[in-house]
Amino acid sequence: MDNILSTIDKYNLIAKGDVVAVACSGGKDSMALLHYLWNNRESIGCEVVAVNIDHCIRKASSEDSAFVSNYCKKHGIKLYSHKVDAVKYSQDNKLTIEQGARDCRYKVFASLVEKKLVNKIALAHHLQDQAETILLNLFRGTGISGASGMDYIRDNMYIRPMLNTAQASILAYLGTNEIPYVEDETNHDNDYSRNYIRNKIMPLVRFKWPSADRAIANFGKNCKQDESYIQSTISESAILPEEGLVRINFGYFVYPDAYVFRLILKALKRIGITSNVETKHLKMIKNMALEAENGTKINLADGLTVIKEYNYITFTNRRTKVRNKTYEFKRGKLDISGYGLIDTNVTKKFDVSAYTHLVDISKLPKDAVWRFRKDGDTFEKFGGGTKSLSDYLIDKKVPVRLRANTPVLAKGGEIYIIAGVEISDKIKVDKNTKSAYGINVKRF
């Protein structure tokens, strides 16, 4: 444990005045970290609190939380205690229990920071955890990014002061200081991938190579250095973000895999997808960009949809909620979240070039509303001829990702305006028009 202070100093993990919340489950590692930071808080120059999360996965989880609570009360440590239903969350989001629990945990951490109750979250990962993480990522098919392992500090918020500390030092510290802790019985359940590596694989590896953990961690550091250099060559301007999606011009996909794969991962991070993307998926996306027909779509894990549309490869997150809200049609500015601005005014000057849409007031039903497309919608093309809205949008080459996100002015299933695209022949201005709506559409 003696190297924790040097690790904090080397990687600038904690600044003077920081409020550091130690994520404390009551287990060996987190109790050791809480005890160490609490007893060294004055020399570090920070305030230390604890955060405990009951994931409601195990029967004994409430008892573990009570143990942490009692320990904190006894030592005067401020505790933020939370309970989450990780099982239900995992089922609702089609995740493994491990993934769901992690998501729930990090949502709690993020809320503490957002509320300015703390500004750093200290996680109790140690050297052996780092080695296991690197191996787990390798077995899942990662590149050198995953092989780099965990960061000492991430997002300037999550810190790992014990990442260079061997578990043997932690156990010795617990014994010397008589620090109590609880045992999580699921640590022996080898159905969990990490437990299988920890309990089955690594003991055999260490028997043959006693310094394996340090060697694997050093391999991770080398990978991180290489990854950092390659990342510095990736052009941020290649990624074109919009609301809930990002695009990359397919011309970038002719570059070497080392460049393309990182560009894809950087784009995915923009839409909140940071896990469960393996090398095989990256290869699939690159092949689609280079070989597939326009309109090809593939669905991957964590809500990721990839679409080839004209000159771009578009990445969207299917977890974005479907739009079902309606908006009253009226004069003035209508700000539609996630889309843009629709500005409607009355005019008697029928200058088509001055507006996105020019509409005969007398021809438009008074009870028409702005909404988003639905199955069965129909549209009478400008110049005549009725089509399903879906077919018309295909004819107009409106990208798939934009079709559900483009407002339409409708009454029932009949569409009168497709915002920014076209108006129905039924509401066009003609020689008998006396007044019109001049509508300007600005997409953000």
Side-chain angles (χ1 to χ4, degrees):
M1 297 285 282
D2 292 339
N3 62 0
I4 290 180
L5 289 179
S6 61
T7 298
I8 290 172
D9 183 59
K10 180 177 180 180
Y11 295 100
N12 298 313
L13 303 186
I14 301 174
K16 298 292 183 183
D18 277 348
V19 180
V20 181
V22 178
C24 188
S25 65
K28 297 175 184 177
D29 305 329
S30 62
M31 289 299 295
L33 181 61
L34 178 60
H35 184 278
Y36 186 89
L37 291 182
W38 175 256
N39 284 281
N40 288 277
R41 65 191 186 280
E42 292 184 3
S43 61
I44 297 172
C46 68
E47 182 180 343
V48 173
V49 301
V51 54
N52 172 263
I53 302 167
D54 180 356
H55 296 86
C56 299
I57 296 174
R58 301 177 297 112
K59 291 181 179 179
S61 63
S62 61
E63 296 175 8
D64 293 351
S65 292
F67 166 80
V68 174
S69 177
N70 291 333
Y71 179 88
C72 289
K73 284 180 182 177
K74 180 178 178 180
H75 293 85
I77 304 171
K78 187 172 186 177
L79 172 68
Y80 295 103
S81 185
H82 294 262
K83 181 178 286 191
V84 298
D85 191 340
V87 175
K88 184 177 185 304
Y89 177 89
S90 301
Q91 292 171 344
D92 290 346
N93 292 278
K94 298 180 179 179
L95 301 171
T96 66
I97 291 294
E98 290 173 285
Q99 293 168 332
R102 184 185 187 281
D103 279 4
C104 291
R105 223 172 18 252
Y106 278 84
K107 285 178 185 294
V108 171
F109 296 155
S111 71
L112 292 174
V113 175
E114 288 170 5
K115 294 174 182 177
K116 300 187 184 307
L117 298 173
V118 305
N119 62 310
K120 294 283 175 64
I121 306 291
L123 306 173
H125 298 115
H126 51 70
L127 180 65
Q128 279 68 30
D129 291 326
Q130 179 74 304
E132 292 162 6
T133 296
I134 291 170
L135 286 182
L136 184 60
N137 289 342
L138 288 173
F139 295 154
R140 287 171 171 169
T142 187
I144 65 170
S145 177
S148 300
M150 295 178 283
D151 295 321
Y152 284 90
I153 183 166
R154 180 169 63 84
D155 300 332
N156 200 35
M157 177 167 62
Y158 301 106
I159 62 172
R160 296 182 173 95
M162 297 200 305
L163 201 55
N164 196 39
T165 303
Q167 191 173 45
S169 296
I170 296 170
L171 295 177
Y173 183 82
L174 289 168
T176 299
N177 294 279
E178 300 182 341
I179 302 168
Y181 57 85
V182 295
E183 289 281 5
D184 181 344
E185 67 273 14
T186 63
N187 287 339
H188 304 288
D189 184 351
N190 293 327
D191 287 338
Y192 292 104
S193 299
R194 181 176 289 276
N195 287 352
Y196 187 84
I197 292 174
R198 176 176 298 158
N199 301 329
K200 292 288 188 177
I201 296 177
M202 287 307 296
L204 296 174
V205 172
R206 292 182 190 116
F207 181 79
K208 181 70 174 178
W209 296 281
S211 300
D213 294 291
R214 182 72 63 184
I216 294 170
N218 287 338
F219 165 74
K221 289 180 181 178
N222 292 335
C223 289
K224 188 176 291 295
Q225 291 174 354
D226 293 348
E227 176 67 10
S228 178
Y229 171 74
I230 298 172
Q231 286 288 351
S232 70
T233 70
I234 306 296
S235 172
E236 290 284 353
S237 62
I239 301 170
L240 305 174
E242 295 183 26
E243 179 71 22
L245 60 90
V246 290
R247 297 183 297 154
I248 300 174
N249 188 293
F250 73 77
Y252 283 97
F253 289 85
V254 302
Y255 290 8
D257 289 354
Y259 185 95
V260 174
F261 292 175
R262 286 167 177 78
L263 182 60
I264 293 171
L265 292 172
K266 188 167 285 192
L268 296 182
K269 189 174 182 180
R270 296 280 189 94
I271 55 173
I273 295 176
T274 57
S275 60
N276 294 320
V277 180
E278 300 174 14
T279 301
K280 64 182 180 181
H281 302 132
L282 300 173
K283 288 180 178 178
M284 187 187 306
I285 294 168
K286 183 177 180 180
N287 289 339
M288 184 186 79
L290 297 177
E291 301 174 7
E293 295 181 357
N294 181 60
T296 299
K297 178 171 70 174
I298 54 176
N299 293 325
L300 297 174
D302 280 358
L304 172 61
T305 294
V306 188
I307 312 165
K308 183 174 183 177
E309 46 187 26
Y310 309 108
N311 295 327
Y312 298 93
I313 301 300
T314 299
F315 304 87
T316 66
N317 192 334
R318 295 192 303 276
R319 292 180 180 175
T320 302
K321 293 182 179 179
V322 176
R323 291 179 173 272
N324 54 18
K325 189 174 182 179
T326 60
Y327 302 85
E328 180 185 358
F329 178 81
K330 59 184 180 180
R331 293 165 58 183
K333 295 181 179 180
L334 173 62
D335 188 352
I336 298 179
S337 177
Y339 173 77
L341 190 68
I342 299 176
D343 191 4
T344 302
N345 293 288
V346 174
T347 181
K348 292 186 178 180
K349 295 181 179 180
F350 307 148
D351 181 3
V352 177
S353 65
Y355 304 99
T356 308
H357 305 300
L358 196 62
V359 174
D360 188 319
I361 290 178
S362 65
K363 296 178 181 179
L364 185 66
K366 296 187 185 309
D367 51 354
V369 295
W370 289 108
R371 61 169 174 80
F372 297 91
R373 59 177 288 203
K374 298 179 180 178
D375 291 341
D377 284 344
T378 60
F379 181 72
E380 185 167 325
K381 300 184 294 181
F382 198 87
T386 300
K387 274 200 166 191
S388 71
L389 177 61
S390 178
D391 287 345
Y392 180 78
L393 293 174
I394 292 172
D395 291 346
K396 295 294 286 185
K397 296 185 177 180
V398 175
V400 174
R401 62 181 171 81
L402 297 182
R403 294 173 196 170
N405 196 43
T406 299
V408 295
L409 188 66
K411 179 180 178 182
E414 185 166 10
I415 306 301
Y416 293 95
I417 302 175
I418 308 168
V421 180
E422 189 58 277
I423 67 169
S424 166
D425 193 72
K426 290 186 176 182
I427 59 172
K428 68 182 179 183
V429 171
D430 58 29
K431 62 181 181 180
N432 298 314
T433 300
K434 294 182 179 178
S435 60
Y437 289 121
I439 303 174
N440 280 315
V441 177
K442 183 178 181 182
R443 190 177 190 111
F444 295 150

